[in-house]
Amino acid sequence: TLTIQESEKGFCTVNGEIVNNHEGYSGTGFVDTANAEGASITWKVDVDGGNYDVSVRFANGSTARGATLSSNEINTTYGFATTGDWATWADETHTVSLAAGENTIQLSALTAGGLPNVDAITIAGAGVLAADCA
Ligand code: GCU
Ligand code: CA
């Protein structure tokens, strides 16, 4: 099982900034994306291949901010319901198919609000490694 925090190996790009202005995050902070449809975060991991439970830890003080998690042209929808306020964090987990070897995982906002604040991503299982982004 691998958890990737902001600015760690495997954390690749973000449309937004890394901040720490709400409590309850893990690591050194969290990602606050731009409030725009298509605002995204990408990660890169190296796996044996198969189905993996992918958890996104997030806070959403607004209304639901759905997003598409895509890898290898397979899309999985995350609902990202409100958590009530920006300091209350929750995990949303879905099973995602990943190919053997390196996979770029992109989380892309479906609404004009952008993504919720994102603390970390966790990919469950054995043999999951962070990959170099380049
Ligand atoms: C507030 C909040 C931010 C959040 C933003 C948003 O400004 O402080 O942490 O990212 O709302 O609506 O996305
Ligand atoms: Ca934001």
Side-chain angles (χ1 to χ4, degrees):
T1 296
L2 173 73
T3 296
I4 303 175
Q5 296 286 350
E6 57 286 335
S7 301
E8 288 184 340
K9 182 174 179 179
F11 179 91
C12 296
T13 65
V14 56
N15 298 125
E17 43 184 14
I18 295 163
V19 294
N20 60 5
N21 59 327
H22 299 291
E23 308 245 299
Y25 54 83
S26 60
T28 59
F30 57 87
V31 173
D32 176 351
T33 64
N35 294 76
E37 185 177 344
S40 70
I41 303 170
T42 63
W43 298 267
K44 198 165 176 182
V45 297
D46 194 327
V47 299
D48 295 337
N51 289 328
Y52 294 84
D53 281 349
V54 177
S55 301
V56 177
R57 187 167 193 261
F58 72 100
N60 183 5
S62 182
T63 52
R65 289 189 179 177
T68 299
L69 187 141
S70 56
S71 188
N72 304 308
E73 293 168 21
I74 297 171
N75 295 331
T76 305
T77 300
Y78 283 66
F80 295 138
T82 184
T83 58
D85 63 73
W86 295 107
T88 300
W89 299 84
D91 280 296
E92 182 164 342
T93 304
H94 295 282
T95 303
V96 174
S97 171
L98 298 174
E102 293 187 349
N103 293 253
T104 296
I105 296 172
Q106 181 177 53
L107 190 65
S108 180
L110 289 169
T111 75
L115 293 173
N117 291 343
V118 173
D119 184 34
I121 192 171
T122 297
I123 298 127
V128 183
L129 301 171
D132 283 324
C133 295

